Amino acid sequence: MPKWIHIAAAALIIAAASCIAHAGDAGFDERVASTLAALNTLRGKGVNVDDALVLLDKAVKAAQAGDTAGANGYLSRVEEEVRLLEAGAWSTYIWGSTVKYLTVAVLAVIPVAVYTLLPRLYVYAWYRLRRKWVVRR
C-alpha cells in the first residue's frame, strides 16, 4: 500500500475521533492536528513515522474513552518523538535522495557500458580462443 494511504487513513481516524471526543477540549484537537501535520511532513521526507502514528492513535483512543491524562501523556510522547525525528529528518532526506539518484545513474550507465564493452569483450574472447589456430594452404 502506498504511504499516503496510511496518512490519509490516520487523518480520517483522527478527524472522526476528534468529532466524537470531548468538544470542550479544543486545545487537544489542535495539538493532534499540528502533530499529524508534522508527521505528514516527516513522512514526505522519507522518515519512518509508524511508531509515532501508533502513539497518536492511542492518544486519540484514550481521549475518546475520557482518559484526558492518558491522552495528554501519549500526545506529549508523540510530540517529543516528532521533535527527535525532525532533528534527523534532513540527513534522512539527503541520504534517501542520494541513494535514489545514484540508483538512477547506475541504471542509466548500464546500457551504455554494455553497448561499448560487449563487442570488445566478444572480439577479445574470440581472439583468445582462436589464437592457436593454424591456417593451412
Side-chain angles (χ1 to χ4, degrees):
M1 276 177 117
K3 292 179 181 178
W4 65 271
I5 291 177
H6 293 290
I7 295 293
L12 287 174
I13 289 170
I14 291 174
S18 296
C19 293
I20 297 171
H22 300 286
D25 195 7
F28 181 79
D29 293 341
E30 291 173 4
R31 287 175 57 198
V32 169
S34 66
T35 304
L36 185 61
L39 288 173
N40 192 18
T41 303
L42 288 171
R43 170 85 68 163
K45 291 181 180 178
V47 177
N48 183 9
V49 295
D50 293 338
D51 295 334
L53 281 175
V54 169
L55 283 175
L56 190 60
D57 184 50
K58 288 180 181 180
V60 170
K61 286 181 181 178
Q64 283 178 337
D67 183 15
T68 57
N72 285 328
Y74 280 128
L75 190 56
S76 297
R77 286 176 46 195
V78 172
E79 290 170 343
E80 181 62 32
E81 189 168 341
V82 165
R83 278 188 230 108
L84 293 174
L85 290 174
E86 284 175 343
W90 182 249
S91 63
T92 303
Y93 177 73
I94 293 296
W95 179 251
S97 296
T98 303
V99 168
K100 188 185 321 178
Y101 293 134
L102 283 176
T103 303
V104 169
V106 166
L107 291 176
V109 167
I110 288 174
V112 175
V114 168
Y115 180 77
T116 58
L117 296 178
L118 189 63
R120 294 171 192 215
L121 290 173
Y122 177 76
V123 169
Y124 179 74
W126 184 86
Y127 173 73
R128 295 285 291 176
L129 289 172
R130 290 164 178 77
R131 68 181 174 181
K132 293 183 180 179
W133 286 17
V134 177
V135 178
R136 293 185 191 166
R137 282 189 156 195

